[in-house]
Each structure stands twice: as C-alpha cells, then as structure tokens.
Amino acid sequence: MSTSIGFAVIGAGRIGALHARHLAGAVEGASLVMVVDADEATAARVAAGRPGVRVAGDIGVALADPEVDAVLIASPTSLHSAQLRAAAAAGKAIFCEKPVANDLSETIDAMAAVTRAGVPFQIGFNRRFDPAYAAVGAAVNAGKLGRVELFRSQSSDPAPSPEAYIATSAGFFKDSVIHDIDTARFVAGEVARVTALGRVMVDPVYEKYGDVDTSVITLEFDSGALGVLMNSRRTVYGHDLRLEVHGSLGKLVAEDERATKVWGYDAGGVHGDFYYHFIERFTDAYRLELQAFVKAVASGSTPTPGAVDAIESLRVAEAAERSLHEGRTVALDELRTVTS
C-alpha cells in the first residue's frame, strides 16, 4: 500500500459527496482516486474540479483498480452488504456508512465475511468523533463520573424526510435513532433490555410505510444504569442534539446545538441560532472519523467502531422495533437466540 491511501467513494449522494470532499484534501494520508455511482453523471459532478479523480458506474471497476486501497461505501443501505462483501473479497480496506444492512442476520453474516477476509473495517458512527461527544465518552471511560447511573440522548431533525426516502429507508430506529443507540453504547456500555414507544405526530406519510416519526426508548444497561433516548423528525428551529450522563461523582452535558456561540438580547427576548442540518452540525466529525480510519489502516491497528459495533447497535434497534410492535420490554438475549 502506498504512503497515501487511495480511496474510491461508492455512492455520490449527499454523504458520499461530503466524504469525497474530505478525502480530496482534508484527510492527511488519504487521496481520492475514484467516485462510483450508478448514475455516472452524478459521480462526475462530485469528481469535477479534482484532477486525476476517475469516475465509474460500477463498484467492480474500483475493486479491480490497483490504485484503490480502500472503499468508502455511501450507497443506499440495500446495497451495502453486497458491496462490502465484494470489497472484502478484493482485499480492500472498508469504511461503510451505517447500517451495514437493514436486517440483523444479514449484518452478522456480512461482518463474518469481512472478518474472514482480514481487511480493516470501520462503521460510520460519526458522533463518536464529534469533539463534544468524544470528550464525554473519554471522561466516562476514564472513570471521572464514577459509576454511570443515568444516560439521556435527544436528537431531532428540522423536518420530515421526503417520501421517496421514507419508502426505502429501514425505519426510524435503524435509520436515525441508531446514532443515539451507538452513543449510548459508546458512553454507557452494552444494553440488556429495551422498551420503546413510537407515534406518528409529524407527518402521516410515515404511517403509510409502517414507520413512526416520534419516539421514546428506555434502555437498561448491563451495568444496571438506565437510559432514555428521545427522537423526533421535526424541530422547526433546526437540528437539535443533547447528551447527558449522570454518575456517582457528578454529571456531564453536551448541548452544542448553536452554529455560532452568540446569544442576542433585545425587547423580543433572548435569541440564538441553530445548525439546521446534521451535515452542518457534524462536518468535523465526518472528517475526523475518516482521519481515524486512515490512521488505523496505515498503522495496521484495528479501526473503531468496527464490526461488533455495527452488529450490536443494530441489535438494539431491532429490539426497539420488536418492543414497539409487541408492546413489551425486549431483552437483547432474545435476538441472540434468533440469530445464533
């Protein structure tokens, strides 16, 4: 492998385009070699203005290219599993956006294939690399809060997704809440039991596809700690995230939702601005997760979050879906029995 790790970005949509921009000059030790999309015109737009970056309409072109050391999979979720299996068989390092698949069994099988191939793998849980979230996780893991007792995470999107996206997504828990689930595992540890409530309160189109747009999930961690995840598809002022962890020695709170750290005071009250979209809020985190992946691949260390995180976060999401549909608390062990 060359000093600079050559990447092919698979999928030139919103997230793929952001990753391509970062790999084209913002990530040390990485270079953008190719952009792949079934719509080659879309791939060409993402590659435009970047000399030497090639375009293809099929992942096979990238996997056969000796200048491609790693693939970044940012295609629709339904394609992830087959694409990462092919990349693993070709010996390429793999960074894959979440989730690996919409189904837990397929995720487990795909991760087994990656493990057998022995290639580096990282799943795209970007919040772990956000400076605020990372600081909370590091402090908790260092024991600065003592024993964790309570965990709370809230994530709200500014507006519902387009119907075309809703129709093909894996549902609220796997598509969006899974980021809060991974944060909970990253900060407070593994989950033992899940209880979920969900409603359609924002847009009736979600009900058409058997989905919800508003939810509260309670978590019971292996450690005995308790957690709450609050999620909504509508926060009219912008993208809103909050993280709070209580421990025996105190608590930590991350509430960095404002785009500029300025409060305005006038006769109308107190005002502050918000990040409207998650890409704006987590731009640095998206870059930092790639930097961590490149560093791990270059040094021969194991990237993180990895295969276990891809499986276990989806396991919690599936447990939440089962809880919602069956109206009961679901133990994670139930899903282990089903998928073993």
Side-chain angles (χ1 to χ4, degrees):
M1 188 175 291
S2 62
T3 302
S4 178
I5 297 172
F7 277 82
V9 172
I10 315 300
R14 183 174 57 183
I15 298 300
L18 176 66
H19 285 312
R21 289 197 297 274
H22 285 154
L23 291 169
V27 177
E28 184 178 354
S31 61
L32 180 63
V33 173
M34 187 179 297
V35 179
V36 178
D37 196 279
D39 181 355
E40 289 194 42
T42 298
R45 284 195 294 272
V46 172
R50 299 184 172 93
V53 177
R54 299 186 293 280
V55 170
D58 183 86
I59 189 175
V61 178
L63 299 183
D65 193 318
E67 293 186 20
V68 173
D69 305 306
V71 296
L72 190 153
I73 298 175
S75 56
T77 300
S78 59
L79 303 176
H80 287 185
S81 178
Q83 290 176 341
L84 69 86
R85 287 171 185 263
K92 308 294 186 181
I94 304 167
F95 182 100
C96 184
E97 276 296 339
K98 62 78 195 168
V100 164
N102 291 333
D103 174 78
L104 179 59
S105 295
E106 176 58 27
T107 297
I108 292 171
D109 291 344
M111 290 296 89
V114 170
T115 299
R116 287 194 298 270
V119 297
F121 171 83
Q122 184 170 320
I123 187 72
F125 286 130
N126 63 79
R127 292 188 190 179
R128 295 188 181 211
F129 300 90
D130 174 75
Y133 279 58
V136 171
V140 172
N141 291 330
K144 293 184 178 179
L145 284 188
R147 180 185 179 186
V148 173
E149 298 167 349
L150 292 171
F151 172 93
R152 178 174 69 92
S153 178
Q154 175 185 331
S155 299
S156 302
D157 296 328
S161 304
E163 182 173 355
Y165 180 86
I166 297 169
T168 58
S169 80
F172 195 27
F173 295 159
K174 294 177 181 176
D175 175 61
S176 180
V177 181
I178 196 167
H179 280 296
D180 298 81
I181 291 170
D182 181 69
T183 300
R185 294 182 54 256
F186 171 58
V187 172
E190 297 298 345
V191 176
R193 286 173 293 278
V194 178
T195 308
L197 295 173
R199 300 286 188 272
V200 176
M201 302 185 72
V202 176
D203 189 337
V205 73
Y206 286 97
E207 189 169 10
K208 176 180 176 181
Y209 296 99
D211 200 2
V212 298
D213 55 34
T214 307
S215 70
V216 174
I217 297 174
T218 59
L219 305 176
E220 300 173 60
F221 294 94
D222 285 349
S223 66
L226 300 176
V228 177
L229 312 181
M230 299 171 57
N231 298 82
S232 172
R233 288 292 195 185
R234 179 182 60 205
T235 314
V236 295
Y237 47 82
H239 194 54
D240 194 355
L241 297 110
R242 300 166 190 275
L243 172 64
E244 183 172 343
V245 189
H246 295 246
S248 57
L249 301 179
K251 77 171 182 177
L252 290 169
V253 179
E255 293 184 316
D256 187 23
E257 73 280 358
R258 284 181 292 135
T260 54
K261 317 309 176 191
V262 176
W263 288 112
Y265 300 81
D266 57 32
V270 180
H271 313 280
D273 63 359
F274 278 71
Y275 291 102
Y276 188 75
H277 201 273
F278 71 89
I279 287 182
E280 299 168 345
R281 171 63 179 82
F282 287 114
T283 294
D284 286 343
Y286 280 111
R287 177 181 58 81
L288 290 169
E289 68 178 350
L290 292 184
Q291 189 66 73
F293 177 65
V294 169
K295 182 178 179 180
V297 173
S299 66
S301 57
T302 301
T304 187
V308 170
D309 302 296
I311 292 169
E312 293 306 317
S313 290
L314 191 65
R315 195 189 302 275
V316 176
E318 286 209 354
E321 287 185 343
R322 183 177 297 187
S323 172
L324 177 66
H325 295 145
E326 298 181 6
R328 64 181 181 89
T329 297
V330 173
L332 270 291
D333 283 345
E334 294 182 39
L335 278 81
R336 288 192 175 92
T337 300
V338 169
T339 57
S340 60

